Amino acid sequence: MRRSIMLDDTPRKLLRIISQFRYQFRRMPNIKELGRLSGRHPAEIIKGFKVLSAEHYIDWDVSKPIETTIIIEGWERNVPYEKTQQQGAESGSGGTNIDYWLYH
């Protein structure tokens, strides 16, 4: 099984859309809704879903409608999320952002 480090733009965008859509509306979007939300054509959406299925982010049978998709993982794997510090938000004495707001 091949695991990519990062997903391409379209599969990553589709994964975020279907995860958030499923959470908000308690159902999977259809291909027309995915086209509107992603700005992608149906062929690009199908290709993106095939990538997500091959990488085991979703469970989807190509012969069935997109609405039958089951999300296995709703976020991208192996992506380093670094903590970023906001410039000018620290207190200057080694404090954190909350220290700035609480003590200044």
Side-chain angles (χ1 to χ4, degrees), residues 60-74:
W60 176 60
D61 184 358
V62 179
S63 64
K64 294 185 179 178
I66 283 186
E67 299 92 310
T68 63
T69 301
I70 297 170
I71 300 170
I72 298 170
E73 263 184 277

Side-chain angles (χ1 to χ4, degrees), residues 5 18 33 66 73-74:
I5 292 178
I18 64 173
E33 291 167 324
I66 283 186
E73 263 184 277

Side-chain angles (χ1 to χ4, degrees), residues 6-62:
M6 288 184 61
L7 291 170
D8 287 336
D9 185 48
T10 298
R12 181 176 53 246
K13 187 172 195 171
L14 291 171
L15 183 61
R16 291 188 67 163
I17 289 170
I18 64 173
S19 296
Q20 292 171 3
F21 194 98
R22 176 77 173 95
Y23 178 77
Q24 184 173 1
F25 298 107
R26 305 285 189 244
R27 68 177 178 85
M28 293 299 290
N30 60 40
I31 197 149
K32 186 176 180 180
E33 291 167 324
L34 283 171
R36 179 179 51 83
L37 295 169
S38 69
R40 304 298 198 271
H41 297 287
E44 294 172 292
I45 293 169
I46 299 295
K47 186 177 176 185
F49 267 64
K50 286 180 180 178
V51 170
L52 291 172
S53 182
E55 294 290 331
H56 301 288
Y57 284 97
I58 61 173
D59 185 23
W60 176 60
D61 184 358
V62 179

